[in-house]
Amino acid sequence: MMETEQTAADIWSFQPQSELNWLELSALSGTSGMAGVDEVGRGALFGPVVAAAVILPDRAWTELVAAKIKDSKKLSSSRRTQLAQQICALAVDWKIGFASTAEIDRINILQATLLAMKRAVLKLNVQPALCLIDGNQSIKDLLLPQQTIVKGDERSLNIASASIVAKVWRDELVLRLASKYPMYDLTRNKGYGSQKHLLALQEYGPSPLHRKSFRPCQIKC
């Protein structure tokens, strides 16, 4: 299995960037059963960090390209939701993993992010031949071939799909929690540090779901 990882890595290393579009249609075209893995919420002040693992069949690639799939941060909320539904319907398998605010505070956000990614991969019912991990950090103790890809959500259809699914799932979670904590304007900021959110932290202090290890949440009332 490790031979598969090395082959994919070698192809990626030597493929000229100018010739790349999506990896699955070029550098990784001979590798099937890949899982894209990405996270969202790493920079938020409130709520868990969430990851998704998505395995797409080969037939889905051209369909998603036609749908103009891209990094979730470059899509409107309504378009993300539409694409997430399409991705989940097409996927061979997809799963969500997350790390709680308590875990973030205990082990730090980087380790919590990798933990969320690992949980998403381990939940998959279909074992991937290769995990494409967004970023430059490998998942520790993951007994599967993996390849890190910087800016993977702009280069891999599987990772871009994972980015969209994770973003929609996390946003929906925060929206459900927003009614419990209306003072933080979570409906609009989705847990990130908007001006209203920061002002509310100063006035009310952090909620039980804020990340106490993050400086803006270290407010003493």
Side-chain angles (χ1 to χ4, degrees), residues 12 56 68 81 89-90 96 125-126 144 165 172 191 196 206 211:
W12 164 248
L56 295 172
K68 297 184 178 179
T81 299
L90 288 169
I96 293 289
N125 295 318
V126 177
L144 291 169
V165 171
E172 290 177 351
K196 284 188 177 181
R211 303 174 183 179

Side-chain angles (χ1 to χ4, degrees), residues 122-134:
L122 293 180
K123 283 182 180 179
L124 290 168
N125 295 318
V126 177
Q127 182 171 299
L130 174 66
C131 294
L132 304 177
I133 313 297
D134 184 53

Side-chain angles (χ1 to χ4, degrees), residues 164-208:
I164 291 167
V165 171
K167 174 66 173 169
V168 170
W169 193 94
R170 187 181 186 279
D171 282 357
E172 290 177 351
L173 173 64
V174 173
L175 287 174
R176 291 196 297 271
L177 295 169
S179 60
K180 188 175 182 180
Y181 304 104
M183 67 286 286
Y184 301 110
D185 197 32
L186 298 172
T187 300
R188 294 187 180 182
N189 61 51
K190 304 300 188 296
Y192 288 85
S194 67
Q195 184 177 8
K196 284 188 177 181
H197 194 172
L198 296 174
L199 290 173
L201 280 168
Q202 293 178 11
E203 182 174 356
Y204 302 103
S207 75

Side-chain angles (χ1 to χ4, degrees), residues 107-186:
I107 64 177
N108 77 47
I109 185 59
L110 172 59
Q111 297 306 317
T113 296
L114 295 173
L115 178 60
M117 289 180 165
K118 183 177 181 180
R119 286 171 172 168
V121 172
L122 293 180
K123 283 182 180 179
L124 290 168
N125 295 318
V126 177
Q127 182 171 299
L130 174 66
C131 294
L132 304 177
I133 313 297
D134 184 53
N136 61 3
Q137 298 284 332
S138 297
I139 299 174
K140 294 179 181 178
D141 302 320
L142 180 66
L143 302 180
L144 291 169
Q146 57 181 304
Q147 174 65 36
T148 58
I149 301 175
V150 175
K151 295 185 179 179
D153 47 11
E154 298 177 6
R155 297 175 173 180
S156 163
L157 284 163
N158 285 276
I159 294 177
S161 297
S163 170
I164 291 167
V165 171
K167 174 66 173 169
V168 170
W169 193 94
R170 187 181 186 279
D171 282 357
E172 290 177 351
L173 173 64
V174 173
L175 287 174
R176 291 196 297 271
L177 295 169
S179 60
K180 188 175 182 180
Y181 304 104
M183 67 286 286
Y184 301 110
D185 197 32
L186 298 172

